[in-house]
Amino acid sequence: MKSFGLIGHPLGHSISKKYFENKFEKEHLDCKFSNFDLENLDNLDKIISENIDLQGFTITYPYKNEIIKYLDFIDENAKEIGAVNVVKIDSDRKLHGFNSDYIGFQGLLEDAIQDREIGRALILGTGGASKAVSFVLKNKNIDFQFITRNVRYENQKSYNELKKEGFHDNELIINATPIGMHPNANNCLDLPFETLNPSNILIDLIYNPEETIFLKRGKSQGAKTFNGLKMLYLQADAAWEIWEKEQS
């Protein structure tokens, strides 16, 4: 039996295991999927050595950046993005890193903006997920700026600055942080929601809960809102294609 899994912490919010188990059952695949909730990656080698049937795994918060130093090889797109969310284990037990998040976000973004002109995109957060988001926006020639607590680079703005300036017309706002994710669904970033209007589009990469407070606040101002469920499905399908392709 081939084995696959998910590595991250915490994993209580994730439906990846259920998604893949349903896929295996529906397609009559002799595979299993396990969650590896790790407080750090120190035991990664042990996980791989003890699970000899493990063919690959996906990576979620907070290890999409940190996993890179454990890899033997990294795909060019993942290298450019600077984050990995899919790992394939080859027959020599070498780790190959890929990024399927950008494929998932690209599909979600196309649904969200369709043919609309976007004045600028704001990416909330600077973690691994935000890097895949910025990769897609760059390829679509959409200007973007990161919003972060600690400004370190030129294309970043602090949350305090954003609160003073407010949102503007035709802006796309993407939450790439875990704030508001189950089980802390009552949490929300402190944002100038009152400055949103129907010309804005809000995307939350979180899919559990289906509607975060971030999205609810945006909807109350007339903005169009989208959660991250489609991104999850698309990136999971892309991960499976990576595992299958590399096995052939």
Short mmCIF file of all heavy atoms in Angstrom, two decimals, residues 193-217:
data_model
loop_
_atom_site.label_atom_id
_atom_site.label_comp_id
_atom_site.label_asym_id
_atom_site.label_seq_id
_atom_site.Cartn_x
_atom_site.Cartn_y
_atom_site.Cartn_z
N PHE A 193 -11.86 47.92 7.85
CA PHE A 193 -12.96 47.35 7.06
C PHE A 193 -13.97 48.41 6.63
O PHE A 193 -14.62 48.27 5.58
CB PHE A 193 -13.67 46.26 7.86
CG PHE A 193 -12.87 45.00 8.05
CD1 PHE A 193 -12.27 44.71 9.27
CD2 PHE A 193 -12.71 44.10 7.01
CE1 PHE A 193 -11.53 43.56 9.45
CE2 PHE A 193 -11.97 42.94 7.17
CZ PHE A 193 -11.38 42.67 8.40
N GLU A 194 -14.12 49.46 7.42
CA GLU A 194 -15.11 50.49 7.11
C GLU A 194 -14.80 51.23 5.81
O GLU A 194 -15.66 51.91 5.26
CB GLU A 194 -15.22 51.48 8.27
CG GLU A 194 -13.99 52.37 8.50
CD GLU A 194 -12.87 51.69 9.26
OE1 GLU A 194 -13.03 50.51 9.63
OE2 GLU A 194 -11.84 52.35 9.49
N THR A 195 -13.56 51.10 5.31
CA THR A 195 -13.18 51.78 4.07
C THR A 195 -13.37 50.89 2.84
O THR A 195 -13.09 51.32 1.72
CB THR A 195 -11.72 52.26 4.13
OG1 THR A 195 -10.84 51.13 4.22
CG2 THR A 195 -11.50 53.17 5.32
N LEU A 196 -13.84 49.66 3.03
CA LEU A 196 -14.12 48.78 1.90
C LEU A 196 -15.39 49.23 1.19
O LEU A 196 -16.26 49.88 1.78
CB LEU A 196 -14.29 47.33 2.38
CG LEU A 196 -13.05 46.61 2.89
CD1 LEU A 196 -13.45 45.30 3.55
CD2 LEU A 196 -12.06 46.36 1.75
N ASN A 197 -15.52 48.86 -0.06
CA ASN A 197 -16.72 49.17 -0.83
C ASN A 197 -16.94 48.07 -1.87
O ASN A 197 -16.10 47.16 -2.01
CB ASN A 197 -16.62 50.56 -1.47
CG ASN A 197 -15.49 50.65 -2.47
OD1 ASN A 197 -15.49 49.96 -3.48
ND2 ASN A 197 -14.51 51.51 -2.20
N PRO A 198 -18.05 48.12 -2.63
CA PRO A 198 -18.35 47.05 -3.59
C PRO A 198 -17.32 46.86 -4.70
O PRO A 198 -17.40 45.86 -5.43
CB PRO A 198 -19.72 47.47 -4.16
CG PRO A 198 -20.35 48.25 -3.06
CD PRO A 198 -19.22 49.03 -2.45
N SER A 199 -16.37 47.76 -4.86
CA SER A 199 -15.35 47.58 -5.89
C SER A 199 -14.22 46.67 -5.42
O SER A 199 -13.38 46.26 -6.22
CB SER A 199 -14.76 48.93 -6.31
OG SER A 199 -13.86 49.43 -5.34
N ASN A 200 -14.21 46.35 -4.13
CA ASN A 200 -13.15 45.51 -3.57
C ASN A 200 -13.48 44.02 -3.67
O ASN A 200 -14.65 43.63 -3.67
CB ASN A 200 -12.90 45.86 -2.10
CG ASN A 200 -12.41 47.28 -1.90
OD1 ASN A 200 -13.00 48.06 -1.15
ND2 ASN A 200 -11.33 47.63 -2.58
N ILE A 201 -12.43 43.23 -3.74
CA ILE A 201 -12.55 41.77 -3.70
C ILE A 201 -11.67 41.26 -2.57
O ILE A 201 -10.51 41.62 -2.46
CB ILE A 201 -12.09 41.13 -5.03
CG1 ILE A 201 -12.95 41.63 -6.19
CG2 ILE A 201 -12.15 39.61 -4.93
CD1 ILE A 201 -12.45 41.15 -7.55
N LEU A 202 -12.26 40.42 -1.71
CA LEU A 202 -11.52 39.83 -0.60
C LEU A 202 -11.38 38.33 -0.82
O LEU A 202 -12.37 37.64 -1.10
CB LEU A 202 -12.22 40.08 0.73
CG LEU A 202 -11.88 41.38 1.48
CD1 LEU A 202 -12.26 42.60 0.66
CD2 LEU A 202 -12.55 41.40 2.84
N ILE A 203 -10.16 37.84 -0.72
CA ILE A 203 -9.89 36.41 -0.78
C ILE A 203 -9.23 36.00 0.53
O ILE A 203 -8.25 36.61 0.95
CB ILE A 203 -8.96 36.05 -1.95
CG1 ILE A 203 -9.62 36.37 -3.29
CG2 ILE A 203 -8.56 34.59 -1.89
CD1 ILE A 203 -8.72 36.12 -4.50
N ASP A 204 -9.77 34.98 1.15
CA ASP A 204 -9.15 34.42 2.36
C ASP A 204 -8.68 33.01 2.01
O ASP A 204 -9.49 32.18 1.58
CB ASP A 204 -10.16 34.37 3.52
CG ASP A 204 -9.47 34.25 4.87
OD1 ASP A 204 -8.37 33.65 4.92
OD2 ASP A 204 -10.01 34.76 5.86
N LEU A 205 -7.40 32.73 2.15
CA LEU A 205 -6.89 31.40 1.84
C LEU A 205 -7.38 30.36 2.83
O LEU A 205 -7.29 29.16 2.58
CB LEU A 205 -5.35 31.41 1.81
CG LEU A 205 -4.69 32.39 0.83
CD1 LEU A 205 -3.20 32.07 0.71
CD2 LEU A 205 -5.35 32.37 -0.54
N ILE A 206 -7.94 30.81 3.95
CA ILE A 206 -8.53 29.90 4.94
C ILE A 206 -9.82 29.32 4.37
O ILE A 206 -10.60 30.02 3.72
CB ILE A 206 -8.82 30.65 6.25
CG1 ILE A 206 -7.50 31.08 6.92
CG2 ILE A 206 -9.64 29.80 7.21
CD1 ILE A 206 -7.69 32.01 8.09
N TYR A 207 -10.06 28.03 4.61
CA TYR A 207 -11.30 27.39 4.18
C TYR A 207 -12.08 26.79 5.34
O TYR A 207 -13.19 26.30 5.16
CB TYR A 207 -11.00 26.29 3.14
CG TYR A 207 -10.02 25.25 3.64
CD1 TYR A 207 -10.45 24.19 4.42
CD2 TYR A 207 -8.68 25.35 3.33
CE1 TYR A 207 -9.55 23.24 4.89
CE2 TYR A 207 -7.77 24.41 3.79
CZ TYR A 207 -8.21 23.36 4.56
OH TYR A 207 -7.31 22.43 5.04
N ASN A 208 -11.51 26.80 6.53
CA ASN A 208 -12.19 26.31 7.73
C ASN A 208 -12.02 27.33 8.85
O ASN A 208 -10.92 27.44 9.39
CB ASN A 208 -11.63 24.95 8.14
CG ASN A 208 -12.37 24.33 9.32
OD1 ASN A 208 -13.38 24.86 9.77
ND2 ASN A 208 -11.86 23.21 9.82
N PRO A 209 -13.06 28.11 9.15
CA PRO A 209 -14.43 28.02 8.67
C PRO A 209 -14.58 28.52 7.22
O PRO A 209 -13.70 29.22 6.71
CB PRO A 209 -15.21 28.93 9.63
CG PRO A 209 -14.20 29.97 10.03
CD PRO A 209 -12.89 29.24 10.11
N GLU A 210 -15.70 28.16 6.62
CA GLU A 210 -15.93 28.56 5.23
C GLU A 210 -16.03 30.07 5.08
O GLU A 210 -15.63 30.62 4.06
CB GLU A 210 -17.21 27.91 4.69
CG GLU A 210 -17.08 26.41 4.48
CD GLU A 210 -18.29 25.83 3.78
OE1 GLU A 210 -19.13 26.59 3.27
OE2 GLU A 210 -18.38 24.58 3.73
N GLU A 211 -16.56 30.74 6.09
CA GLU A 211 -16.63 32.20 6.05
C GLU A 211 -16.00 32.75 7.32
O GLU A 211 -16.59 32.70 8.39
CB GLU A 211 -18.07 32.69 5.90
CG GLU A 211 -18.15 34.19 5.66
CD GLU A 211 -19.55 34.68 5.38
OE1 GLU A 211 -20.47 34.34 6.16
OE2 GLU A 211 -19.74 35.38 4.37
N THR A 212 -14.81 33.28 7.19
CA THR A 212 -14.11 33.88 8.33
C THR A 212 -14.71 35.24 8.66
O THR A 212 -15.47 35.82 7.86
CB THR A 212 -12.63 34.05 8.00
OG1 THR A 212 -12.52 34.87 6.83
CG2 THR A 212 -11.95 32.71 7.74
N ILE A 213 -14.34 35.77 9.81
CA ILE A 213 -14.77 37.13 10.16
C ILE A 213 -14.24 38.12 9.13
O ILE A 213 -14.92 39.08 8.76
CB ILE A 213 -14.32 37.49 11.58
CG1 ILE A 213 -15.04 36.61 12.61
CG2 ILE A 213 -14.59 38.97 11.88
CD1 ILE A 213 -14.62 36.86 14.04
N PHE A 214 -13.03 37.90 8.65
CA PHE A 214 -12.45 38.73 7.58
C PHE A 214 -13.40 38.82 6.39
O PHE A 214 -13.68 39.91 5.88
CB PHE A 214 -11.10 38.12 7.17
CG PHE A 214 -10.48 38.71 5.95
CD1 PHE A 214 -9.86 39.95 5.99
CD2 PHE A 214 -10.47 38.00 4.76
CE1 PHE A 214 -9.27 40.50 4.85
CE2 PHE A 214 -9.88 38.53 3.62
CZ PHE A 214 -9.28 39.78 3.66
N LEU A 215 -13.93 37.69 5.95
CA LEU A 215 -14.86 37.69 4.82
C LEU A 215 -16.21 38.28 5.19
O LEU A 215 -16.82 39.02 4.40
CB LEU A 215 -15.03 36.26 4.28
CG LEU A 215 -13.79 35.61 3.66
CD1 LEU A 215 -14.14 34.23 3.12
CD2 LEU A 215 -13.20 36.48 2.56
N LYS A 216 -16.68 38.00 6.39
CA LYS A 216 -17.97 38.56 6.83
C LYS A 216 -17.92 40.08 6.87
O LYS A 216 -18.86 40.76 6.44
CB LYS A 216 -18.34 38.01 8.21
CG LYS A 216 -18.74 36.55 8.22
CD LYS A 216 -19.06 36.08 9.64
CE LYS A 216 -19.46 34.61 9.64
NZ LYS A 216 -19.73 34.11 11.01
N ARG A 217 -16.81 40.61 7.39
CA ARG A 217 -16.68 42.07 7.48
C ARG A 217 -16.62 42.69 6.08
O ARG A 217 -17.15 43.77 5.84
CB ARG A 217 -15.42 42.44 8.28
CG ARG A 217 -15.42 42.02 9.74
CD ARG A 217 -16.31 42.88 10.60
NE ARG A 217 -15.94 44.28 10.58
CZ ARG A 217 -15.03 44.84 11.38
NH1 ARG A 217 -14.35 44.08 12.24
NH2 ARG A 217 -14.77 46.12 11.33
#
